Amino acid sequence: MDTMMKDDRQFVVKTGISTKAEEVEYAVNLEAIVYFLHEKVMEKVIEGKYGNGYARVFRLLKKRGPLVGRQISEYCLLFPKETDQIIQNLYKDSFLVLEEVGNMKFYSISHSSVLQLIVRQLFKIILNKCIVKQEFKQLVPMKEALNPEKKGAQELKLKESKLNSIIQELDYSLMC
């Protein structure tokens, strides 16, 4: 427990000393866990939609806060043109917010837009999973109606295996 207490993310916090033989009580910090998972999902969505360079810029801005384009390029080890393109694409898709101070342009993460994207992505995944399960339920009566010797039974087995693999892929995408 002491190792978990030393973690910067503070998933476990000390609540105090109990009355029983001076035992220490711990509590799980659900707020920290939800925030951590939210950040990880945001990174995965950006990486899946755009690629590694975009995810690198996103992680940097999340960690460091508002930065100028030149600083982003230096920290991420990207070419300035590539960094400008990444920033413009993320800004165009409302993932970044532009803050102008004098003649300097600072970019930071727009948390509301990212959260909306996550909700849309999860909704699509859940909807696809429901559609696949509905198609799978329709296959079961058809499979029972056909004899194993008929040609159509083999096609149904193939479709059933494809549906099972799609369900496994969707489950995996929900877990990652």
Side-chain angles (χ1 to χ4, degrees), residues 27-82:
V28 176
N29 187 353
L30 291 177
E31 184 178 345
I33 293 171
V34 168
Y35 184 75
F36 175 76
L37 291 174
H38 178 255
E39 287 180 341
K40 288 298 177 186
V41 168
M42 286 191 306
E43 289 175 18
K44 289 289 185 182
V45 167
I46 296 288
E47 187 175 4
K49 186 172 182 177
Y50 297 105
N52 288 336
Y54 288 80
R56 198 177 333 162
V57 169
F58 188 81
R59 280 191 297 271
L60 174 71
L61 289 173
K62 181 185 74 172
K63 185 176 181 179
R64 295 275 179 136
L67 293 173
V68 180
R70 179 180 38 82
Q71 292 173 320
I72 295 170
S73 178
E74 290 172 4
Y75 287 133
C76 288
L77 301 174
L78 296 169
F79 293 112
K81 283 187 177 183
E82 185 181 359

Side-chain angles (χ1 to χ4, degrees), residues 58-122:
F58 188 81
R59 280 191 297 271
L60 174 71
L61 289 173
K62 181 185 74 172
K63 185 176 181 179
R64 295 275 179 136
L67 293 173
V68 180
R70 179 180 38 82
Q71 292 173 320
I72 295 170
S73 178
E74 290 172 4
Y75 287 133
C76 288
L77 301 174
L78 296 169
F79 293 112
K81 283 187 177 183
E82 185 181 359
T83 304
D84 290 341
Q85 181 183 2
I86 289 172
I87 290 171
Q88 291 306 316
N89 288 339
L90 289 174
Y91 179 73
K92 182 181 74 177
D93 290 342
S94 301
F95 288 110
L96 299 182
V97 176
L98 174 64
E99 301 171 22
E100 292 188 43
V101 178
N103 61 352
M104 307 271 297
K105 294 181 179 181
F106 290 90
Y107 294 94
S108 61
I109 295 173
S110 171
H111 292 284
S112 61
S113 296
V114 173
L115 186 60
Q116 289 174 356
L117 175 74
I118 291 169
V119 169
R120 276 184 279 163
Q121 292 286 92
L122 289 175

